[in-house]
Amino acid sequence: MSEDQAATTELVGVEWVVDVGNIAHGGHCVARHDGRVIFVRHALPGERVRVRVTEGRATDRFLRGDAVEVLTAAPQRVTAPCRYAGPGACGGCDFQHVALSHQRALKAVVVREQFQRLAGLDVDVEVEAVPGDADGLRWRTRVELAVDGGGRPGLRRHRSHDIIAIDDCLIAAERVVDSGVLDTVWTGCRAVDVVAADHPRDAVVVPVPEKRVPRVGQRVETSTWSGTFELSARGFWQVHPGAARTYVEHVLAELAPQPGERALDLYAGVGLFALALADAVGPQGAVLAVEGDHRAVDDGVANAAEHPQVEFRVGRVDQALHRLLRQGISADVVVLDPPRTGAGRAVAADLTALSARAIAYVACDPAALARDTAYLLKGGYRLRSLRAFDAFPMTHHVECIAVFEPVRSGG
């Protein structure tokens, strides 16, 4: 075989027996064969498995594969509760084959590794359960289902556009499944969203493309604060029923906003943190919320109608934050909840220039958070606390909340 032929030789479908190494960010483990790295799904560290290559050519630096046979099982392996989970099947879950407590232990390993590698910090963190699921199942209150050519709703295979028609999803909230969405043929739709909000009582079903999107209500109650929100059914809200409450309670406790202070809420969505901050700083304080989605800002303005100390601005956070600095605006406390890609270098630099006494960073990707942590450290802040929450059981995703303060405040 020539060098050119080798470069284009597909290895998809080839099988090897490998010893599985450490967990990696993304829901797979690392294995090696003949000098190649293979990212293996459906395996556990310490196992010996037969891996089938799912992506890669002979000259690629790394390959992807599925553990199609377990020759030596780890003690934490369990039978997946969902019949759609497994090699070549639904890509929605990564860890159905792992005992729930060990899923959290693996996620903690990933968080620690990302912080050590990207921020140079050794963090002691455990992934904590979030109240509201049923042993890791029946928690997802917002589900977007793909629709195949025959109008059948389902979920996609891992890293594929192929759709697997399903009659249940075990991580979906019961009200989502009880809506009848999975028993309906959705002719002419490319997707269908189902939302089990606090109001209305029945789940809301929204075919995509949609002519009119209904509105839903959410209620958040912590030990010290409560708030009510209304938003578009397709708008952003935390998918785990206990997430919003858990995050707000922790952020308020860590930032301890005081009456009369100025607070900044970046990537504010419909105002979850903005309203909680507003009640803490009171009518003499001020909260500025910045969000890039026009519809979310409209919802946020309506939600904050009884909080005159809250101002919403629509626009890109990096641009809005830079303008604030040029205007000489400062903040005592900051909350940011960016998308999975994180805030980035420019936003982190401007955050440190605000000289806030505390910054709470809510992150759904530990790698992006660790990268941005390095930027904040360089800007004169230190990591005061870090907690991780299992808001997405059975998947590799983990939510982290990091709190930063200026180095000078740490003595």
Side-chain angles (χ1 to χ4, degrees):
M1 180 184 300
S2 70
E3 186 174 327
D4 288 343
Q5 287 175 320
T8 58
T9 299
E10 286 281 355
L11 294 177
V12 174
V14 174
E15 296 183 2
W16 298 304
V17 173
V18 298
D19 294 317
V20 180
N22 293 335
I23 189 70
H25 183 32
H28 44 247
C29 297
V30 178
R32 287 175 170 81
H33 179 79
D34 285 345
R36 295 188 183 92
V37 171
I38 313 172
F39 293 125
V40 185
R41 298 188 80 236
H42 311 294
L44 276 167
E47 292 187 328
R48 188 170 179 82
V49 304
R50 183 178 302 279
V51 61
R52 179 180 299 151
V53 177
T54 57
E55 291 182 37
R57 293 184 295 270
T59 55
D60 287 343
R61 292 188 301 111
F62 66 85
L63 310 172
R64 296 182 183 274
D66 281 342
V68 294
E69 181 183 1
V70 179
L71 304 175
T72 304
Q76 300 88 2
R77 176 174 284 275
V78 299
T79 300
C82 177
R83 66 180 180 275
Y84 300 110
C90 175
C93 292
D94 308 288
F95 291 147
Q96 291 242 0
H97 62 288
V98 187
L100 185 59
S101 61
H102 195 60
Q103 293 181 31
R104 293 170 181 153
L106 292 177
K107 294 180 187 184
V109 169
V110 170
V111 173
R112 290 193 290 266
E113 192 275 334
Q114 296 300 315
F115 268 80
Q116 202 288 321
R117 183 173 66 89
L118 297 173
L121 294 179
D122 293 321
V123 296
D124 183 15
V125 65
E126 295 183 359
V127 175
E128 307 170 38
V130 177
D133 57 58
D135 295 325
L137 303 175
R138 298 303 185 199
W139 54 268
R140 194 171 185 95
T141 59
R142 283 164 162 74
V143 177
E144 180 174 328
L145 297 159
V147 175
D148 67 16
R152 296 172 301 176
L155 296 169
R156 298 189 187 277
R157 300 184 196 274
H158 180 63
R159 295 175 62 85
S160 171
H161 294 295
D162 294 343
I163 298 170
I164 299 174
I166 60 174
D167 59 13
D168 193 6
C169 174
L170 293 186
I171 65 171
E174 290 183 348
R175 283 192 293 150
V176 169
V177 178
D178 291 345
S179 70
V181 63
L182 297 174
D183 303 321
T184 303
V185 176
W186 298 94
T187 305
C189 299
R190 67 172 183 268
V192 57
D193 284 359
V194 191
V195 178
D198 293 330
H199 179 79
R201 181 178 180 85
D202 293 333
V204 172
V205 180
V206 186
V208 181
E210 73 285 350
K211 294 181 180 178
R212 179 180 176 274
V213 180
R215 302 184 66 74
V216 297
Q218 297 287 168
R219 175 76 176 168
V220 180
E221 295 188 17
T222 76
S223 60
T224 60
W225 179 82
S226 63
T228 300
F229 301 83
E230 186 176 301
L231 64 150
S232 165
R234 298 199 71 210
F236 175 78
W237 190 262
Q238 296 292 340
V239 296
H240 193 292
R245 177 177 70 250
T246 300
Y247 303 163
V248 169
E249 184 147 40
H250 179 56
V251 166
L252 288 179
E254 284 290 313
L255 295 185
Q258 300 299 305
E261 285 194 318
R262 298 174 64 88
L264 188 59
D265 181 11
L266 303 177
Y267 313 93
V270 300
L272 173 63
F273 292 109
L275 265 63
L277 291 167
D279 285 334
V281 302
Q284 302 306 312
V287 179
L288 177 58
V290 181
E291 167 58 45
D293 184 87
H294 288 263
R295 290 175 298 181
V297 169
D298 289 344
D299 290 338
V301 169
N303 290 325
E306 297 181 4
H307 296 77
Q309 67 271 48
V310 177
E311 177 189 352
F312 268 85
R313 293 187 184 179
V314 62
R316 284 178 42 170
V317 166
D318 57 345
Q319 296 175 354
L321 185 55
H322 204 62
R323 284 195 295 269
L324 293 177
L325 287 172
R326 291 203 306 268
Q327 296 166 9
I329 294 177
S330 61
D332 298 293
V333 294
V334 179
V335 180
L336 66 156
D337 186 2
R340 194 169 302 281
T341 51
R345 185 191 300 269
V347 170
D350 285 345
L351 275 178
T352 61
L354 284 172
S355 300
R357 65 170 178 80
I359 300 170
Y361 188 137
V362 183
C364 56
D365 185 278
L369 173 60
R371 178 205 64 203
D372 290 347
T373 292
Y375 299 149
L376 293 170
L377 297 180
K378 185 177 293 186
Y381 277 70
R382 73 180 187 96
L383 180 64
R384 188 176 80 195
S385 68
L386 174 68
R387 289 178 71 182
F389 299 98
D390 194 17
F392 311 93
M394 304 294 163
T395 80
H396 75 273
H397 300 293
V398 57
E399 195 88 3
C400 295
I401 300 180
V403 179
F404 301 88
E405 64 184 8
V407 171
R408 63 179 181 273
S409 70

